[in-house]
Amino acid sequence: CHSRYGQIVCAACDDGAARGWDAATGALVFVCKETGDVLDRDPATSVCFRPFCGENAHDNARDVRDVRANSHRLVLAVGHASSAVRVFSLFSRDANEKDKKIGRGHGETQLASALVAEVKDAHAPGAAVDALAFAGRGAKKSKTLFSAARDGTLC
């Protein structure tokens, strides 16, 4: 998966994390992972960035040139083998104090992450989530998240 303008490339990882790298330099930009006994054994199987919600494409193109400047807009959905879907907000490490308190992620990355939503029962237990997609573009339209799992359901 890549961010809208291709600046960040993201992968779902067997350790349950979603990792993002700068497409130009290869530097690790973020790691999204919640920890816990069950979560550590729940491989990530799919990832999807939410489309940017700016007023127009010109503003988005200008903002995206700097990952840190645009981080307040980055939202990433992560599907898991257990059928869970987790949604993370990504933000700059020099964000406000509230964000710093809730932020997690790898300490050496540009962006921290915070779990903002979790759905554990949208699909049959153990039905891996193979695909994720946010609907539409724009602030109101791109808040709907769809997931497809190996149990044959689309939620």
Side-chain angles (χ1 to χ4, degrees), residues 74-139:
L74 292 176
V75 174
L76 182 73
V78 182
H80 293 271
S82 68
S83 75
V85 175
R86 296 179 179 94
V87 180
F88 293 87
S89 177
L90 302 171
F91 52 90
S92 173
R93 292 213 172 266
D94 57 1
N96 66 46
E97 290 301 314
K98 179 183 174 190
D99 286 340
K100 286 182 180 179
K101 289 178 184 174
I102 62 171
R104 292 178 176 75
H106 194 277
E108 301 298 316
T109 60
Q110 290 181 26
L111 302 177
S113 64
L115 181 68
V116 295
E118 180 175 34
V119 178
K120 295 181 181 180
D121 59 358
H123 301 284
V129 177
D130 289 327
L132 296 164
F134 283 94
R137 299 208 188 280

Side-chain angles (χ1 to χ4, degrees), residues 1 33 61 73 94 97:
C1 168
K33 182 178 181 184
R73 294 184 180 178
D94 57 1
E97 290 301 314

Side-chain angles (χ1 to χ4, degrees), residues 1-8 10 30 32 46-55 60 64 70-78 85-91 114 116-117 132-146:
C1 168
H2 59 82
S3 59
R4 181 171 178 183
Y5 293 97
Q7 190 172 16
I8 300 173
C10 186
F30 66 82
C32 293
S46 55
V47 292
C48 179
F49 281 102
R50 184 179 75 185
F52 290 120
C53 301
E55 293 299 315
N60 284 335
V64 170
N70 192 47
S71 63
H72 67 282
R73 294 184 180 178
L74 292 176
V75 174
L76 182 73
V78 182
V85 175
R86 296 179 179 94
V87 180
F88 293 87
S89 177
L90 302 171
F91 52 90
V116 295
L132 296 164
F134 283 94
R137 299 208 188 280
K140 293 181 181 176
K141 295 179 183 176
S142 67
K143 292 183 179 180
T144 302
L145 175 65
F146 292 96

